[in-house]
Amino acid sequence: MRRLPGRPEQPRRSRPEPAVVHRAVRVTVAACAGFYTFRYGLHQPVTATYALFAAVAVGVLARVEGGARARVRTLLLTLPFAAALVCLGTVLAVHAWTAALGMAGVGFAVAFGSVGGPRLVGLANGLQLFYILPCFPPFAPDTLPQRLAGVATGLVLLAAAERLLWPEPPPTDYRDRVARAARALARLADLAAAECAGRRPAAADGKADGKADGAVVPARALALLDDLRFSRIPMMERPAGPGAVDRALAHCATTLHYIGAELLRVRRLGSVGGPYPQAAVLVTATAHALRAAGCGVRAGGPVPSAAPIEERIAAFEVARTAPGPAGAPAPAPAPGPGRTAAARLGLGTVALNAAEGARFLVLATRTARHAPASPDDTPPDRRPGPFWYAHEPAAMLWWRRIRGNLTTRSVYFRNALRTAGALSAARLVAGALDLTHGFWVLLATLTLMRTSAVDTRTALRPALVGTACGAGVTAVLLLAVGEHPVFYAAALPPVMLFAFTAGPVLGLAWAQGMFTVVIAMVFTQLAPAGWRLAEARLVNVATGAAVGILAGLLAWPRGGGQDLRRRTAELLDRSAAALSETVAVVTGTGPARGALGRARHSALLTEAQYAQYRSERHDPAEDGPDWQAAVLTGQHTVRGAEPLLARIPPGTAAAGPDRAAALVRRADQVAAAFRGQGAALLARAPADAAERAVADARGALRAERLAATRLPAEPASLYTVDVSLWLTGLLDDLARVPGNTGPAPDGPH
């Protein structure tokens, strides 16, 4: 089969990994133990069916990841929700239309529950099945106790198997990734501090000259920062839940990216504007804060305090505005005194930015460790502040996440609507056609439907081929063996083990084919069955696949890529509004109107859309821009504005109305560059005009900083430099969006 564009070809595994085999053994043992106990030991076929079904639904069709303890906890927490869905399905099975209406509600609620984080994403398919099976005839509410007993038994047995049979070790914790990145940035800060002080940096081992570390340390830090991207992390390990801890860990990641960018700018500006001893002391304090956060983010480590870095920041603020050579920009050697003085001013600003980032990192780390939150000192007109989530109860955080995604701009909302529509339609079709074992129709729709029509069509061919082959094997088996339950009881465990091992290794065709054989062996032990059981399986899978394809074609057929350009352009537009509003607030030329919060929300929606886009096949033409760079640009806009607003009192960022108006004009130029890049993305046009706008805005900001060198070293002129450097950093981020991943221009820009 020809490989579709947009998805790198994956090497076929020739043999299963141990984890795949171990998982197959656990599910097989749990499913067969419950099934045989109730079918042959207690002669309760209904309970036996639901015990096997529960173990397979959660163990195979859902994704329960993590270490053994985490898996057991997830399975036991799933039990009450599974029981509620079984009760609901049993009651609504009275009519096909009531079952379909219930399917629409359950389908939407369970799929939309994915906004709650990766664990709910992994459980979604399994939870759907707990409603699907009982919502089909026969309508037998009197068997509800047996059904619930079977579900409870299956889940408890699976939890016991997870704990006792080759228990999985915990995967790499995101906290460990954050800790490693923080330590690498601390080493980069040591390097930058030594260069700011005008001395040669020590090597990592402390025994030799560290000149070679000048290239190695930044490269390692950037690599570890790249490992924090959600697109680089398995879905189940991402801190993407609505709770305060997950939000704090995600905050740590974006803050580390911000600190890394500022430390690189410290090194660039230090080569022209140094030595600057006060900045060196501040960057050293930043390194200490990074190490404290790296140690404290892990469970069991000492919870860091923000007091040391806050004291250093306050001392530096006093020192850089003090008269005399200790605080004022030093006279620059010819040639180019203005350039050197501007670089020195900029060096102080980026050192302060890195320190502010380290302070925010420590505060986010404290939240991730459940430490008491500091009072929110954000003025009411500029709330929510950067750590608003640390002051909200868990229920309110969930409500904010749900409310924020109740829009067609959210991929979670779109996927939930698509799933609900497809499953309810499949239930109506199965009821209208009076299909035998109509449950298989919805199972096929659920397992074959993807988030884009292309991916659904791609899954269709191997699924139908595999099902047809499995149906053929099943028909031959039923004709040859006949009604001999003992044979099927003996053959079921090895066949089930092979099926659950072959599927992940050999692909969808093998998974569908072997699953067809497995369920045939199960049903022949519950009631007499002939070769037409195989025919019913093939018809039902084809019907379910047809419904899934139709739903995929009607509801956002291009999946995450459908509006990625529009969402990214919207993110750049809202980031432009946020930076303009921030400059207006600090210069006293305008009030806060919530643009920063809207930019933060837009970044979350765009990041979710990009994550889904990465999981789909897509048009190679969409690969041109660096979508992740666009998301980071939006995040850096927010993360950079937050410390500026906390540090600069409103109306004090410029020395007089003329300077304020000039700074606002520069911000408008940067905002225009953001919007120009967004327009280029929408038009699929070269970003030449946007790149010229970036260059023009960068030149204007450089002129603004040169003008600041001719003013007294008072807070207003220094704040002007702070704002100017922040805007320049955003231009550096924006320049990477068209796909240019090279370094920012050299020099004190």
Side-chain angles (χ1 to χ4, degrees):
M1 181 176 174
R2 183 174 63 87
R3 182 173 64 90
L4 289 179
R7 173 71 62 87
E9 188 172 3
Q10 299 295 327
R12 182 178 293 274
R13 287 175 288 182
S14 58
R15 58 183 179 180
E17 297 178 356
V20 174
V21 178
H22 296 166
R23 182 182 186 184
V25 170
R26 289 192 290 266
V27 176
T28 300
V29 169
C32 291
F35 182 76
Y36 290 150
T37 298
F38 287 104
R39 176 65 184 90
Y40 297 106
L42 302 176
H43 303 289
Q44 296 180 9
V46 173
T47 310
T49 301
Y50 277 80
L52 182 144
F53 163 78
V56 173
V58 179
V60 176
L61 302 177
R63 292 178 59 187
V64 180
E65 302 291 347
R69 290 181 180 273
R71 294 185 184 207
V72 170
R73 184 167 57 251
T74 300
L75 290 171
L76 296 181
L77 290 175
T78 301
L79 182 54
F81 297 99
L85 291 172
V86 169
C87 293
L88 187 61
T90 300
V91 172
L92 295 182
V94 60
H95 296 295
W97 65 268
T98 57
L101 285 177
M103 187 72 261
V106 169
F108 179 85
V110 173
F112 189 68
S114 298
V115 300
R119 287 188 181 179
L120 293 181
V121 173
L123 285 171
N125 280 0
L127 289 175
Q128 300 276 18
L129 294 173
F130 285 110
Y131 174 86
I132 291 173
L133 180 61
C135 81
F136 277 90
F139 174 64
D142 55 304
T143 64
L144 182 58
Q146 299 175 46
R147 295 178 177 185
L148 294 177
V151 168
T153 301
L155 290 178
V156 169
L157 286 174
L158 184 59
E162 291 284 358
R163 194 71 182 92
L164 300 175
L165 300 177
W166 295 291
E168 292 290 334
T172 301
D173 194 345
Y174 195 78
R175 294 174 184 268
D176 294 330
R177 297 175 185 267
V178 171
R180 288 197 297 268
R183 288 198 302 270
L185 284 183
R187 178 59 188 150
L188 179 60
D190 290 336
L191 193 66
E195 293 170 348
C196 281
R199 65 177 186 271
R200 303 184 73 177
D205 57 10
K207 297 180 180 179
D209 180 72
K211 186 176 181 180
D213 284 353
V216 175
V217 171
R220 173 170 171 75
L222 291 176
L224 290 174
L225 286 176
D226 199 54
D227 285 343
L228 293 176
R229 292 186 179 191
F230 279 11
S231 59
R232 308 281 188 185
I233 300 171
M235 183 186 68
M236 304 303 292
E237 298 175 24
R238 300 171 187 170
V245 171
D246 275 11
R247 290 179 188 266
L249 289 174
H251 197 162
C252 286
T254 56
T255 303
L256 284 169
H257 278 285
Y258 174 76
I259 296 170
E262 294 304 306
L263 289 175
L264 292 176
R265 297 173 80 193
V266 167
R267 296 192 67 203
R268 287 202 303 270
L269 293 171
S271 64
V272 181
Y276 194 161
Q278 290 80 12
V281 171
L282 184 61
V283 176
T284 299
T286 300
H288 293 328
L290 285 165
R291 288 191 174 90
C295 293
V297 72
R298 289 193 175 106
V303 178
S305 170
I309 188 65
E310 288 173 347
E311 292 173 1
R312 288 297 182 184
I313 290 172
F316 182 78
E317 288 272 30
V318 172
R320 73 170 183 160
T321 57
R339 185 172 184 267
T340 304
R344 187 175 176 84
L345 281 176
L347 178 58
T349 292
V350 294
L352 189 57
N353 289 344
E356 287 280 9
R359 182 175 75 88
F360 274 52
L361 176 66
V362 170
L363 294 174
T365 301
R366 289 178 58 82
T367 302
R369 290 292 307 279
H370 303 284
S374 303
D376 188 1
D377 55 0
T378 307
D381 62 333
R382 298 210 299 266
R383 291 185 179 179
F387 294 98
W388 62 270
Y389 55 84
H391 305 275
E392 297 277 5
M396 183 57 67
L397 293 176
W398 270 88
W399 168 241
R400 282 179 176 267
R401 174 65 62 85
I402 291 172
R403 186 182 62 184
N405 282 276
L406 285 175
T407 169
T408 54
R409 295 184 298 148
S410 167
V411 293
Y412 298 111
F413 187 78
R414 292 180 177 186
N415 293 341
L417 285 180
R418 184 191 299 111
T419 300
L423 292 179
S424 59
R427 180 63 183 88
L428 285 174
V429 169
L433 299 179
D434 196 21
L435 295 176
T436 306
H437 303 296
F439 158 77
W440 293 341
V441 176
L442 275 74
L443 178 60
T445 300
L446 184 65
T447 55
L448 298 182
M449 187 173 61
R450 303 292 189 264
T451 56
S452 72
V454 171
D455 282 358
T456 302
R457 288 197 303 270
T458 303
L460 178 63
R461 179 180 173 183
L464 291 181
V465 170
T467 302
C469 293
V473 172
T474 298
V476 171
L477 184 66
L478 293 174
L479 288 173
V481 177
E483 298 180 9
H484 292 86
V486 175
F487 170 82
Y488 300 113
L492 179 61
V495 172
M496 183 179 288
L497 178 61
F498 178 75
F500 296 157
T501 304
V505 176
L506 301 178
L508 185 58
W510 279 88
Q512 287 290 329
M514 292 305 303
F515 191 67
T516 299
V517 177
V518 167
I519 59 177
M521 288 186 167
V522 171
F523 275 92
T524 53
Q525 297 180 65
L526 295 171
W531 67 271
R532 288 193 174 277
L533 180 66
E535 178 189 36
R537 167 69 178 168
L538 182 59
V539 170
N540 289 346
V541 169
T543 303
V547 173
I549 286 181
L550 185 61
L553 289 174
L554 294 178
W556 299 284
R558 290 173 55 198
Q562 179 157 349
D563 286 332
L564 184 59
R565 286 182 179 273
R566 190 184 309 168
R567 293 284 80 80
T568 305
E570 179 187 86
L571 171 61
L572 294 176
D573 179 72
R574 294 199 171 184
S575 298
L579 70 88
S580 294
E581 182 179 287
T582 299
V583 174
V585 169
V586 297
T587 57
T589 57
R593 294 190 175 92
L596 201 61
R598 290 189 291 273
R600 185 186 293 118
H601 182 231
S602 182
L604 290 174
L605 293 178
T606 306
E607 185 173 23
Q609 185 132 12
Y610 172 69
Q612 179 169 305
Y613 166 81
R614 289 266 304 184
S615 70
E616 300 168 345
R617 289 173 173 83
H618 49 265
D619 187 347
E622 300 291 342
D623 288 337
D626 188 339
W627 303 112
Q628 185 71 35
V631 174
L632 286 176
T633 299
Q635 291 174 340
H636 286 179
T637 302
V638 175
R639 294 295 174 239
E642 289 168 347
L644 276 182
L645 291 171
R647 185 168 79 235
I648 302 176
T652 64
D658 292 341
R659 304 306 308 165
L663 194 56
V664 169
R665 286 195 298 272
R666 305 301 176 240
D668 290 341
Q669 284 183 277
V670 177
F674 270 61
R675 294 189 173 99
Q677 180 62 66
L681 289 177
L682 285 176
R684 300 175 183 267
D688 297 341
E691 290 173 358
R692 287 194 298 271
V694 168
D696 292 343
R698 183 178 281 117
L701 289 168
R702 185 182 294 114
E704 194 70 34
R705 290 193 298 279
L706 287 173
T709 63
R710 296 188 287 271
L711 298 174
E714 58 185 10
S717 59
L718 294 174
Y719 290 156
T720 298
V721 176
D722 292 349
V723 175
S724 176
L725 261 294
W726 170 59
L727 294 174
T728 302
L730 295 182
L731 290 175
D732 293 343
D733 293 332
L734 186 67
R736 296 183 176 92
V737 174
N740 174 24
T741 57
D746 293 332
H749 52 275

